[in-house]
Amino acid sequence: MQRPQPRPGTRPGGRLALRPLPRSLSGWTIAVFGLCAAALGAVGLLAPGVLLTVMGFDPLPAARRADGDHTPVFLTASSMAAVNMGAYYLLAAATDWKPFFRWTVPFRLLTCTVFTLAVLTDRAPAGFLGVGLWEGLGALVTWAALWYERRAAA
């Protein structure tokens, strides 16, 4: 009887086969995005005003905030989500988890669309357009890397 083969990205016994560097071109695209997401999330947690400035917003000092302005709460929540998302992307890159890579493409394109529409409808400042374009460009680069790898394997 033939022994069952471990799933890609795992070792016998189900343990993850982590590698310090990505094993594929598509893995590198995911790792770069994950590192950027985690780093910007950390900036948002440690220096929220800096992150707001980078994204095209004018940060307000606490004394100038209106009662009920919960901007710091939402910034903390989204920054922590970015740190977590970065960790997920880095783990996927370290295990070369191609199904995850494929799933990111349409959702990052959706994010690009939503963020771009936020700028076009004056819900966000023009500087925020860069965030949407970063998402869209990253999705296209990941898609291209996956396409190239599939073609090279055929």
Side-chain angles (χ1 to χ4, degrees):
M1 177 180 262
Q2 189 177 13
R3 294 180 73 188
Q5 296 296 313
R7 290 185 336 197
T10 63
R11 294 181 182 152
R15 292 174 294 163
L16 289 178
L18 297 177
R19 305 252 174 133
L21 295 175
R23 293 176 255 178
S24 63
L25 182 59
S26 59
W28 274 104
T29 71
I30 294 295
V32 167
F33 183 78
L35 188 60
C36 288
L40 287 172
V43 169
L45 292 171
L46 300 172
V50 171
L51 183 62
L52 286 172
T53 301
V54 166
M55 292 172 51
F57 295 96
D58 293 323
L60 291 176
R64 290 189 46 210
R65 291 193 183 284
D67 286 340
D69 180 346
H70 300 293
T71 302
V73 174
F74 286 101
L75 187 57
T76 299
S78 61
S79 294
M80 192 63 234
V83 169
N84 289 341
M85 185 176 65
Y88 305 151
Y89 274 69
L90 290 170
L91 179 61
T95 59
D96 208 38
W97 190 19
K98 303 279 186 180
F100 178 85
F101 301 173
R102 285 189 292 275
W103 269 96
T104 68
V105 173
F107 287 101
R108 291 175 69 192
L109 289 173
L110 176 62
T111 302
C112 171
T113 302
V114 170
F115 288 2
T116 300
L117 287 173
V119 173
L120 295 176
T121 59
D122 293 324
R123 293 183 70 189
F128 194 63
L129 185 60
V131 179
L133 295 178
W134 166 255
E135 287 279 354
L137 179 63
L140 293 176
V141 169
T142 297
W143 174 84
L146 287 164
W147 177 84
Y148 173 80
E149 290 166 357
R150 191 174 336 182
R151 211 164 159 243

